[in-house]
Amino acid sequence: MSTTEPTRSDSGFVKLAAASTISNLGDGVVLVALPLLATQLTRDPTAIGGLLLAMRLPWLVCSLFAGALADRVDRRQLMWRVDVVRCLALSAFAAGVATDHVTMTMLYTLAIVLGIGETFRDNAAQVIVPSLVRDTRLEWANGRIASLETVTNRFIGPPLGGLLAGAAIASAFVFDAATFAAAAILVAAIPGTFRPPNTHQQTTVLAGIRDGLAWLWHHRQLRTLALLLGALTCLATAGEAILVLYAQQILGLGEVGYGALISAAALGAVSGGILSSRIVDRVGRSTALVSAALTYSIAQLGLGLADQAWIFAPVMALGAFSAVTWNVVTVSLRQALVPDELRGRVNSAYRFFGWGAMPIGALLGALLANATNLHAPFIVGGLGMITATIIATPHLTHIDQGQINQPPGATSVSTN
């Protein structure tokens, strides 16, 4: 197999999808177990919201370096080695929980370690997909991965996490460690070498990061999508940061109910992953993206107005459907547009703007909840998301199937 142009392998994609599915099952368990463990140590919304801040902060601090590394090394090896590190970190933490030697400082440390690992691993996972499937199947592949990840991360994992936490909370972290071990084995088994081309021509890491940022910034549509994603994720994370308290104090849910609430959104998310390619074929990328963003924003506002679980759950499902549809379309767009030798850096630059805003949103949500009430992060976030989408909409025209393979600067893709 060539080191510059890996053979597209169905078996390789199956292994990648399986690894993502398994590791996301463990993530879904810890998604519930970590905040529940935090509520046993404190009831302070700022401290609990800060846990999500710690987990998302690496996207702001490390994402650009993660992209530069993904364009310099074998992406497959980077992925499985990161999973091994996360497995070891979770195993050590589980031992501390089992022996009642756990503090909020330890929770924050684990959140940061997992966040750093996610930054490096997920960026490499996204940019390796075009080496495993044909360009015409990118949205199909990304939609399938998103659906499988959602089933495990949001549908199976959270209630399982609630059950494990209720029985012995340390077992939830042991389970997640085991899923990372299994994911590492699967990724290591993908055949071939996945070092991007022209790595020998790169100079310094900072110069490479600068090239990725410049490529993204000079492509009008991708730049607009990155900035809009930053606004959406920042404001949505404001509500996510205090979701566990909202579920307990407003909706009156316990541990298992909280896990079930999160998994309710999986029905919408799975549908979004499966139907996203059909939606694009029917209405086009531009309409699909704007509609998804507006629906997601309205759903966020609706969450802040709901005080009953039977209302809250379907609104979450609607928002999840829209979010996954948005993600599948934008990920496929980046994979098809960006040259392989720049894919890691441009992808990480995009996610720097989008995911890097999450720590700010987590802090905003905690501060709003403390200053007002638990409804405010959702209501303020939803209104802000609607405003940001309306402002961005005029800049998201001309994203269609005929233009997706055009480089920035080509006549059929409008750029600045």
Side-chain angles (χ1 to χ4, degrees):
M1 178 176 289
S2 169
T3 58
T4 60
E5 192 173 341
T7 301
R8 288 171 168 82
S9 166
D10 289 341
S11 65
F13 174 74
V14 169
K15 290 184 177 69
L16 176 68
S20 296
T21 301
I22 292 171
S23 64
N24 271 274
L25 175 60
D27 287 346
V29 168
V30 170
L31 180 69
V32 171
L34 200 62
L36 286 176
L37 180 57
T39 60
Q40 295 179 11
L41 301 174
T42 179
R43 304 298 294 181
D44 182 2
T46 302
I48 294 174
L51 196 62
L52 183 61
L53 170 65
M55 188 172 289
R56 298 309 185 198
L57 187 61
W59 283 104
L60 182 62
V61 177
C62 302
S63 62
L64 295 177
F65 294 97
L69 184 61
D71 283 343
R72 288 174 172 264
V73 302
D74 187 307
R75 291 156 176 169
R76 177 182 63 87
Q77 293 188 25
L78 175 61
M79 291 167 60
W80 72 256
R81 288 174 179 173
V82 169
D83 280 342
V84 168
V85 172
R86 291 195 286 182
C87 172
L88 295 174
L90 278 160
S91 299
F93 182 81
V97 176
T99 57
D100 291 326
H101 290 87
V102 63
T103 65
M104 284 300 296
T105 300
M106 291 175 62
L107 264 69
Y108 276 96
T109 301
L110 178 68
I112 291 172
V113 170
L114 293 179
I116 292 173
E118 182 183 47
T119 302
F120 282 85
R121 199 269 187 195
D122 284 10
N123 186 69
Q126 279 195 354
V127 299
I128 204 176
V129 170
S131 299
L132 298 174
V133 299
R134 298 187 302 273
D135 288 349
T136 55
R137 286 166 59 86
L138 284 176
E139 283 171 339
W140 173 88
N142 290 315
R144 293 308 179 272
I145 289 177
S147 296
L148 290 169
E149 288 179 350
T150 300
V151 168
T152 51
N153 190 288
R154 297 282 179 173
F155 187 68
I156 301 175
L160 177 59
L163 291 173
L164 290 172
I169 199 162
S171 64
F173 300 100
V174 172
F175 184 88
D176 196 19
T179 63
F180 281 130
I185 293 171
L186 283 167
V187 172
I190 296 175
T193 301
F194 296 88
R195 184 185 296 270
N198 302 323
T199 54
H200 63 282
Q201 298 177 5
Q202 296 181 20
T203 55
T204 66
V205 171
L206 292 178
I209 290 173
R210 186 168 57 249
D211 290 342
L213 286 168
W215 201 101
L216 174 65
W217 196 253
H218 286 88
H219 194 287
R220 189 183 73 175
Q221 277 90 11
L222 289 185
R223 181 184 70 230
T224 301
L225 288 171
L227 294 175
L228 177 56
L229 177 62
L232 296 179
T233 54
C234 174
L235 295 168
T237 305
E240 184 182 355
I242 51 88
L243 180 60
V244 63
L245 291 177
Y246 196 97
Q248 293 175 342
Q249 298 179 23
I250 304 297
L251 304 179
L253 299 176
E255 293 177 345
V256 176
Y258 173 59
L261 179 67
I262 294 176
S263 66
L267 295 175
V270 171
S271 300
I274 294 173
L275 298 176
S276 54
S277 60
R278 298 181 187 179
I279 292 172
V280 169
D281 290 341
R282 183 173 293 261
V283 303
R285 284 188 175 82
S286 179
T287 300
L289 287 171
V290 172
S291 299
L294 276 175
T295 305
Y296 185 40
S297 305
I298 294 170
Q300 186 74 6
L301 176 61
L303 293 177
L305 301 176
D307 57 4
Q308 299 291 327
W310 65 272
I311 298 175
F312 198 93
V315 175
M316 279 189 71
L318 178 63
F321 177 92
S322 305
V324 171
T325 300
W326 163 283
N327 287 337
V328 169
V329 177
T330 55
V331 168
S332 302
L333 189 66
R334 296 197 307 275
Q335 289 170 342
L337 281 171
V338 184
D340 188 34
E341 64 270 19
L342 277 167
R343 196 170 285 144
R345 285 167 286 171
V346 174
N347 194 62
S348 66
Y350 181 96
R351 300 184 91 182
F352 170 79
F353 287 106
W355 288 61
M358 288 184 175
I360 302 171
L363 179 61
L364 174 64
L367 293 176
L368 277 173
N370 265 334
T372 55
N373 54 57
L374 292 174
H375 295 274
F378 294 102
I379 294 174
V380 172
L383 292 173
M385 291 163 68
I386 293 170
T387 302
T389 302
I390 293 173
I391 293 173
T393 295
H395 303 285
L396 296 178
T397 56
H398 309 303
I399 301 178
D400 57 34
Q401 183 64 39
Q403 296 162 339
I404 190 170
N405 291 318
Q406 296 292 332
T411 57
S412 62
V413 176
S414 178
T415 59
N416 287 341

